[in-house]
Amino acid sequence: MKGNHLVREARRRAGLTQAELAARVGTTQSAIARVEASLGAPSLERLTELVQACGFDIDVRLVPYDDHDTSMAVRNLTLTPQERVDRMMSAYRFARAGQAAMKTAKAARGGR
């Protein structure tokens, strides 16, 4: 998630206007609007200050990079539209079969 999205989401969850957030951190409404519009590159320290003024915090952690979604998208680009539909329908049938199996198992347990 980008910094501008973090600030906007925190502000909205807190029920604050841009002007109210600006007053809390001693800046202008237009400065908050610029951050939310991604018209600058505020530091992590500044983003944290803005989010904390909304009553939230930013938890920064280093985690292993996961490119699974990207590699799946790249792989799907090599498929024809029909192959994509076929795979989607196969996944749909698999999910429906799983739902049916869960319903059968639940009935066998007496509805519990």
Side-chain angles (χ1 to χ4, degrees):
M1 181 176 270
K2 294 184 177 182
N4 63 318
H5 296 130
L6 288 171
V7 173
R8 182 182 305 119
E9 183 65 21
R11 181 181 60 75
R12 287 182 177 167
R13 285 187 189 187
L16 298 172
T17 64
Q18 290 179 342
E20 290 168 332
L21 176 56
R24 288 185 178 194
V25 296
T27 192
T28 63
Q29 177 274 327
S30 61
I32 300 299
R34 283 191 304 275
V35 169
E36 290 187 5
S38 201
L39 297 177
S43 67
L44 179 58
E45 183 178 358
R46 182 64 170 160
L47 291 173
T48 300
E49 176 187 14
L50 294 171
V51 169
Q52 286 176 344
C54 297
F56 299 97
D57 204 359
I58 297 175
D59 182 24
V60 178
R61 300 176 289 134
L62 292 176
V63 296
Y65 179 69
D66 180 6
D67 71 343
H68 183 257
D69 292 337
T70 304
S71 63
M72 282 181 47
V74 169
R75 188 175 35 229
N76 281 336
L77 289 174
T78 66
L79 301 175
T80 66
Q82 186 59 51
E83 289 171 328
R84 292 180 199 168
V85 169
D86 291 344
R87 285 187 178 200
M88 188 269 312
M89 291 305 297
S90 177
Y92 174 77
R93 286 189 295 273
F94 179 77
R96 294 292 292 185
Q99 288 174 332
M102 291 295 290
K103 189 174 183 179
T104 301
K106 185 176 181 179
R109 291 192 313 264
R112 290 181 273 146

